[in-house]
Amino acid sequence: VYKRQVQFSSSTMQTQLWASLRATVWLFAALHGVKIECLATGRLKQFATGHGGATKDMMAAFLVKKHPEKFKIAPGGVLDLDSGHKKDDNAVDALHLYEWAVQTLKT
């Protein structure tokens, strides 16, 4: 299981909800022998773009730059050329996270 580590949030309820979700995922992983790796948001942005404070637009642009045969910039996100569906910023982050895991963990 790979996830982006969120370090700050804007409200107490968001923090409590995130902590509850994270605890549930970690408990499930521990009970089923799944290894957990955490990655700070800034480190993911650094990996994806070379800039730890990258914006959503920068993350999308670098995904397209890395894989121009698979993606292109479209209004409201990134267009997946294989499926024809748009990828929002969460999907873009997930794709960068997947690439980080493949390159970094190699397992």
Side-chain angles (χ1 to χ4, degrees):
V1 172
Y2 306 107
K3 66 175 188 64
R4 183 172 63 165
Q5 179 69 20
V6 176
Q7 295 178 339
F8 302 99
S9 62
S10 60
S11 75
T12 301
M13 290 180 72
Q14 285 177 324
T15 303
Q16 291 170 343
L17 180 62
W18 174 249
S20 298
L21 175 62
R22 187 171 58 181
T24 302
V25 169
W26 286 356
L27 179 60
F28 178 88
L31 292 173
H32 292 88
V34 177
K35 182 179 175 183
I36 297 264
E37 291 287 336
C38 295
L39 178 65
T41 303
R43 285 192 58 217
L44 177 62
K45 291 178 178 188
Q46 178 73 36
F47 168 81
T49 69
H51 186 293
T55 65
K56 293 176 182 187
D57 289 339
M58 290 171 67
M59 294 289 280
F62 272 85
L63 181 67
V64 171
K65 184 178 178 180
K66 286 181 187 177
H67 304 286
E69 73 287 355
K70 294 182 181 180
F71 304 104
K72 78 175 195 176
I73 298 294
V78 172
L79 182 64
D80 182 328
L81 297 175
D82 291 333
S83 70
H85 294 107
K86 287 185 188 171
K87 306 287 186 195
D88 67 7
D89 60 299
N90 294 313
V92 169
D93 288 350
L95 290 164
H96 284 300
L97 185 57
Y98 175 76
E99 288 185 354
W100 172 85
V102 168
Q103 290 182 25
T104 305
L105 304 176
K106 299 185 192 241
T107 58

